[in-house]
Amino acid sequence: MNEIRNFCIIAHIDHGKSTIADRLLEYTKTIQITEGQMLDDMDLERERGITIKSHAIQMEYEYKGNKYILNLIDTPGHVDFSYEVSRSIAACEGALLIVDATQGVQAQTISNLYMALDHDLEIIPVINKIDMPSAMPEETEDEIVELLGCDKSEIIRASGKTGEGIPDILNAVVERIRPPKGDANAPLQALIFDSVFNSFRGIIAYFKIENGSISKGDKVKFFNTGMEYTADEIGVLKMDMIPRPKLTTGDVGYIISGIKESKEVKVGDTITHVNPSCETAISGFQEVKPMVFAGVYPIDPTEYENLRSSLEKLQLNDASLTFVPESSVALGFGFRCGFLGLLHMEIIQERLDREFNMDVITTVPNVSYKVFDKHGGEKEVHNPSGLPDLMLIDHIDEPYIRASIITVTTYIGPIMKLCLDKRGELIRQDYISGNRVELHFMIPLGEIVIDFYDKLKSISKGYASFDYTVDCFRPSKLAKLDILLNGEPVDALSTLTHQDNAVTLGRRMCEKLKELIPRQQFDIAIQAAIGSKIVARETIKCVRKDVTAKCYGGDVTRKRKLLEKQKRGKKRMKQIGNVEVPQKAFLAVLKLD
């Protein structure tokens, strides 16, 4: 056990975690690097240049004549995937905190660091990209010292590109990170920190052993679900899965036991032997709280069951996705899904398309509100169509977040304006070092859901980093905005918005839909309504055939007769005709600005 070190890599987006991981794997001769970011094995990760999943891999390293086993977990940096980071941290004893020398400490660096400190991890600070011409290692060192309170001598300077400093990182991992604690003779206790679905082998669970040991063929049980299995195969994770006959305390590995049902495996569950079994489950694993809710519907209604099984398989691999069935008048049967943010929602949509060939429609995203009725009852609403009658509502509470934005002083003005326009309140501002400042705001979560992050990046030219935590619920004046097509409400386009913004939002939605809905044989009225009051209207003119073309001269009543006949036909068509709303109309409503 003294030869094992479990550690993860945490950092802000684009600070070079995956590149450093590649260099560590190359230096320890674990794998031959054939292309960049070897651990990012999903096409989506390669295309976008981001890490979406945590990746565990085992390395062997010789230090002062002893052989050490290093279990490395590379984690995502985007705020939407912070749940992946929390799971990785729960399976480690130490963390490499990587900071980009050209950008310094950013918001996600701080939030991931606090998460690691809460779990009592040993932090090894590393400054990456010191070979860049624009690197500022001295200033970055000062920021890290201020953040961590460590000595400058403890900070390692490295470059993922040239490989400089990689041996120092490996030596620091062995010297500074403590070996796993645990009793090898106690009953088995192993924490499941991830799982994947394999269409041939069933569900594969990844675990870290806290106490005891496990051998191939053992009878095991999952503590929270109470299900019992046989360990058909166990092993360690390298680039592929390497089977082993036995794993002991401190090891990180995988188990295959022919599990078919995805609900039988829960991330954060404890694996133990059937006899003797451990008395308590491993604690300290937090439940995920979705921030953004959207309806996901199959384009073809017969695909409903396939969509359910696809979402279940995705949930195995991404435990932060939650979903419950719901139905809509306009779209039929589907699911109300909870996501950690808009990027997370986009990635799930892409993965459904690529990995499961599912064509889906996603409705306008919104957050959850607490609705209090006049009898003192309380109800949580994720969907505007779930709102009770307006006459029965006493007040509605909406979630507020505490946002931390780190930027250079040049952009304070535009960023403050953006936050205040989004109904934000400035709490305080702290000067970190030099010309960098951290702004703290309270902002309604519903205001940042759609386009806040993109706007923040564009007005600060990419120099602002953003992180948030949900803080509290506050009473708010909210209005339900309905969109009607020919007098019929389209529930998928309903939104809950602040009363001050409702009329302008309604007007803009009507204008946008007028551009996107194709013309029909009859007039289409697009209306925005708050309750029974219409606040905006646009009309899509019908496509007309010139029925009077064959009349040349003669009495005007001949033309009038033909036009009256056409008018009656249009009227009948309007009664029976229905309007299809194209998918791009749903998406365009998100990006109204």
Side-chain angles (χ1 to χ4, degrees):
M1 222 160 74
N2 290 333
E3 268 81 63
I4 297 175
R5 300 287 183 273
N6 298 320
F7 69 102
C8 59
I9 301 184
I10 54 177
H12 191 79
I13 318 158
D14 276 346
H15 281 208
K17 299 175 293 300
S18 302
T19 316
I20 289 245
D22 280 358
R23 293 290 85 76
L24 293 171
L25 296 174
E26 196 173 43
Y27 190 83
T28 54
K29 298 184 175 60
T30 306
I31 50 172
Q32 201 68 39
I33 304 288
T34 51
E35 54 186 320
Q37 276 77 38
M38 292 294 283
L39 292 181
D40 291 352
D41 51 7
M42 233 187 278
D43 290 344
L44 254 178
E45 294 181 313
R46 296 259 167 94
E47 280 166 30
R48 290 175 176 243
I50 56 174
T51 305
I52 294 168
K53 287 289 304 157
S54 299
H55 299 274
I57 191 162
Q58 191 179 88
M59 306 180 285
E60 285 167 11
Y61 180 61
E62 198 165 307
Y63 178 67
K64 293 186 178 171
N66 289 342
K67 264 198 173 167
Y68 290 89
I69 289 174
L70 312 179
N71 290 312
L72 152 75
I73 303 180
D74 177 27
T75 65
H78 197 282
V79 61
D80 278 15
F81 303 111
S82 52
Y83 184 61
E84 288 282 328
V85 183
S86 74
R87 290 171 16 195
S88 310
I89 283 173
C92 296
E93 280 82 34
L96 294 182
L97 179 74
I98 293 182
V99 181
D100 185 334
T102 63
Q103 294 185 314
V105 169
Q106 291 191 285
Q108 204 54 36
T109 319
I110 297 174
S111 104
N112 286 342
L113 170 70
Y114 287 155
M115 214 186 292
L117 290 173
D118 284 346
H119 281 77
D120 198 25
L121 264 59
E122 180 63 44
I123 309 289
I124 300 174
V126 177
I127 296 179
N128 190 21
K129 306 191 188 180
I130 56 162
D131 58 311
M132 301 275 280
S134 56
M136 311 171 292
E138 305 299 332
E139 291 92 324
T140 311
E141 270 186 358
D142 293 340
E143 287 178 21
I144 293 175
V145 167
E146 202 164 311
L147 187 66
L148 275 175
C150 60
D151 274 343
K152 277 197 175 181
S153 57
E154 291 175 32
I155 302 170
I156 300 169
R157 292 190 182 191
S159 163
K161 198 170 174 185
T162 62
E164 185 185 337
I166 298 299
D168 300 340
I169 293 175
L170 287 163
N171 295 343
V173 165
V174 173
E175 285 171 8
R176 298 194 215 167
I177 295 176
R178 62 180 184 273
K181 290 202 281 271
D183 182 357
N185 300 318
L188 172 69
Q189 255 188 331
L191 173 76
I192 300 177
F193 65 88
D194 205 354
S195 56
V196 291
F197 180 81
N198 182 307
S199 43
F200 300 106
R201 320 273 327 248
I203 290 160
I204 304 168
Y206 298 159
F207 61 82
K208 179 204 173 189
I209 302 180
E210 299 278 341
N211 291 307
S213 61
I214 182 171
S215 302
K216 187 179 171 179
D218 282 358
K219 285 257 186 269
V220 294
K221 101 170 166 188
F222 288 13
F223 201 88
N224 289 338
T225 57
M227 306 294 283
E228 298 183 2
Y229 308 99
T230 304
D232 298 334
E233 181 180 313
I234 55 167
V236 295
L237 299 155
K238 296 223 171 169
M239 237 9 227
D240 298 313
M241 296 185 286
I242 313 287
R244 292 272 191 271
K246 185 177 181 181
L247 296 174
T248 60
T249 309
D251 279 329
V252 172
Y254 69 91
I255 177 168
I256 299 175
S257 47
I259 307 169
K260 298 284 185 290
E261 288 289 317
S262 54
K263 57 177 176 286
E264 293 175 24
V265 179
K266 286 206 169 28
V267 169
D269 202 349
T270 303
I271 303 176
T272 183
H273 280 126
V274 173
N275 195 15
S277 61
C278 62
E279 289 172 14
T280 55
I282 299 165
S283 63
F285 206 86
Q286 62 192 46
E287 271 298 310
V288 60
K289 286 195 195 81
M291 299 292 163
V292 177
F293 296 87
V296 174
Y297 294 85
I299 286 177
D300 178 359
T302 56
E303 292 282 291
Y304 177 74
E305 281 305 322
N306 292 351
L307 179 59
R308 181 196 290 275
S309 68
S310 304
L311 283 169
E312 281 176 356
K313 287 169 189 169
L314 256 186
Q315 197 178 32
L316 274 176
N317 198 237
D318 181 352
S320 51
L321 169 70
T322 59
F323 62 92
V324 289
E326 74 162 5
S327 63
S328 143
V329 182
L331 301 170
F333 290 101
F335 297 93
R336 170 93 6 224
C337 298
F339 308 99
L340 295 183
L342 272 196
L343 176 71
H344 186 213
M345 176 173 133
E346 218 176 294
I347 296 292
I348 293 290
Q349 234 176 313
E350 281 270 324
R351 288 184 70 184
L352 280 171
D353 182 27
R354 291 183 186 206
E355 295 171 30
F356 304 100
N357 292 326
M358 291 301 309
D359 283 334
V360 294
I361 288 180
T362 311
T363 64
V364 181
N366 56 298
V367 298
S368 61
Y369 297 95
K370 286 184 179 169
V371 179
F372 294 86
D373 60 31
K374 289 180 177 170
H375 305 299
E378 181 188 331
K379 180 185 178 187
E380 197 166 284
V381 173
H382 304 308
N383 187 351
S385 61
L387 267 188
D389 193 300
L390 289 174
M391 304 301 289
L392 301 173
I393 296 174
D394 182 49
H395 66 278
I396 302 176
D397 284 6
E398 69 173 329
Y400 270 70
I401 58 159
R402 185 178 282 267
S404 141
I405 299 169
I406 296 180
T407 183
V408 288
T409 45
T410 325
Y411 303 111
I412 289 181
I415 287 173
M416 279 199 178
K417 183 179 182 312
L418 172 70
C419 294
L420 296 173
D421 287 349
K422 297 279 186 187
R423 300 190 283 130
E425 300 165 19
L426 178 67
I427 303 170
R428 66 170 202 275
Q429 61 187 58
D430 305 326
Y431 284 86
I432 303 177
S433 65
N435 67 338
R436 301 191 53 202
V437 64
E438 183 175 9
L439 304 169
H440 295 268
F441 280 94
M442 289 291 278
I443 308 177
L445 180 60
E447 293 283 346
I448 69 150
V449 159
I450 292 176
D451 56 359
F452 180 81
Y453 195 62
D454 298 344
K455 280 186 171 175
L456 180 70
K457 282 290 177 202
S458 61
I459 62 175
S460 66
K461 300 188 173 53
Y463 275 104
S465 59
F466 171 67
D467 184 53
Y468 65 87
T469 49
V470 173
D471 191 72
C472 60
F473 278 78
R474 291 187 189 176
S476 188
K477 288 182 180 173
L478 295 169
K480 181 187 175 193
L481 184 72
D482 287 315
I483 299 292
L484 314 174
L485 291 181
N486 279 344
E488 288 294 314
V490 182
D491 56 354
L493 287 173
S494 297
T495 52
L496 269 175
T497 180
H498 197 263
Q499 279 177 2
D500 301 349
N501 307 339
V503 177
T504 47
L505 178 67
R507 208 165 284 148
R508 279 169 31 215
M509 282 172 91
C510 288
E511 286 165 7
K512 199 75 186 170
L513 289 170
K514 184 182 178 182
E515 293 168 24
L516 294 165
I517 293 176
R519 289 170 72 185
Q520 307 283 345
Q521 298 278 344
F522 50 90
D523 282 359
I524 303 170
I526 305 170
Q527 295 166 308
I530 298 171
S532 56
K533 183 184 170 192
I534 304 291
V535 292
R537 174 186 170 124
E538 294 286 338
T539 308
I540 299 175
K541 286 294 177 195
C542 60
V543 183
R544 294 184 60 143
K545 181 183 172 189
D546 188 0
V547 288
T548 59
K550 61 186 178 188
C551 298
Y552 48 93
D555 189 14
V556 73
T557 53
R558 291 181 61 203
K559 288 186 180 178
R560 178 75 24 88
K561 186 176 156 192
L562 290 168
L563 287 168
E564 286 297 325
K565 187 179 173 188
Q566 185 188 37
K567 198 172 169 186
R568 286 198 303 276
K570 296 274 183 211
K571 190 176 175 187
R572 194 165 61 249
M573 206 182 267
K574 186 171 182 173
Q575 285 167 350
I576 60 165
N578 64 342
V579 185
E580 288 290 316
V581 183
Q583 164 73 2
K584 61 173 187 268
F586 289 109
L587 297 176
V589 170
L590 311 188
K591 302 188 171 75
L592 270 177
D593 291 338

